[in-house]
């Protein structure tokens, strides 16, 4: 696997097209074996879904196209450095390589600033803007114990 400019140009084309379709200025493509498997722009406002970032939308499409939740052997080209949520989704999807064009600082300069999330992650849960409290751990451990001993589970 190595960088291929045509795939980045496609991610950027998707980002430009997405603006025309009332979406945000972001696009992504997922490539496997030298072919685009899926592409998408950001659809947060059109879908009323704060998780509908270009990378997440593209991961969902690629998984559906390939019939798997594991995208090993795939690369993702993103028009912009992924936010913390999208970066996490890339890891969870087991994508092998990420290529991006613009940076998180470029995105911040036009109003898409994720720096507060990076800061929040350094804080203890009780110090974060979204307050978090832990309760009923002893009861909630039951499904974990059931999962641990389940012999016919699909690991992921």
């Amino acid at each position: 696997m190595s960088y291929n400019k045509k795939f980045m140009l496609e991610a950027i084309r998707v980002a430009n097209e997405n603006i025309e379709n009332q979406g945000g200025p972001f696009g992504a493509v997922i490539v496997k074996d030298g072919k685009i498997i899926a592409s998408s722009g950001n659809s947060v406002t059109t879908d009323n879904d704060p998780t509908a970032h270009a990378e997440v939308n593209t991961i969902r499409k690629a998984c559906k196209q390939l019939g798997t939740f594991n995208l090993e052997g795939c690369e993702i080209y993103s028009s912009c450095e992924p936010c913390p949520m999208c970066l996490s989704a890339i890891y969870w999807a087991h994508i092998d390589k990420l290529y991006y064009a613009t940076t998180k600082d470029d995105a911040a300069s036009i109003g898409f600033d994720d720096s507060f999330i990076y800061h929040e992650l350094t804080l203890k849960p009780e110090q974060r803007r979204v307050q978090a409290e832990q309760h009923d751990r002893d009861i909630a451990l039951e499904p974990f114990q059931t999962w641990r001993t389940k012999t016919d589970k699909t690991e992921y």
Side-chain angles (χ1 to χ4, degrees):
M1 290 186 206
S2 61
Y3 176 76
N4 188 321
K5 187 172 183 170
K6 76 177 182 179
F7 298 132
M8 185 62 76
L9 292 176
E10 179 61 12
I12 295 166
R13 186 198 68 73
V14 169
N16 276 316
E17 182 181 84
N18 202 56
I19 297 169
E20 295 171 18
N21 295 324
Q22 306 305 310
F26 304 99
V29 300
I30 291 180
V31 175
K32 183 170 183 157
D33 299 327
K35 295 179 184 166
I36 294 176
I37 301 301
S39 66
S40 186
N42 168 305
S43 61
V44 169
T45 57
T46 55
D47 290 345
N48 292 317
D49 179 352
T51 69
H53 290 199
E55 296 88 349
V56 171
N57 286 345
T58 305
I59 288 168
R60 289 173 179 157
K61 286 182 176 182
C63 288
K64 190 173 221 174
Q65 174 69 24
L66 296 174
T68 182
F69 55 82
N70 186 323
L71 297 178
E72 286 180 33
C74 293
E75 303 169 305
I76 188 166
Y77 287 76
S78 180
S79 65
C80 185
E81 182 177 4
C83 74
M85 176 185 69
C86 292
L87 185 59
S88 296
I90 289 165
Y91 275 94
W92 279 114
H94 301 282
I95 292 173
D96 292 350
K97 185 92 181 208
L98 161 67
Y99 302 101
Y100 62 91
T102 57
T103 68
K104 61 185 177 185
D105 295 326
D106 295 324
S109 75
I110 61 165
F112 295 93
D113 189 355
D114 299 323
S115 61
F116 75 97
I117 297 173
Y118 290 102
H119 174 71
E120 288 281 311
L121 291 173
T122 66
L123 302 174
K124 294 179 181 178
E126 62 273 9
Q127 296 173 319
R128 295 178 185 158
R129 188 177 80 186
V130 174
Q131 295 294 303
E133 297 178 6
Q134 182 183 23
H135 297 276
D136 300 312
R137 178 178 180 266
D138 54 333
I139 300 167
L141 282 173
E142 182 182 331
F144 284 13
Q145 292 164 348
T146 302
W147 177 260
R148 182 177 297 131
T149 60
K150 184 174 174 57
T151 58
D152 62 342
K153 62 188 168 197
T154 301
E155 304 248 2
Y156 58 97

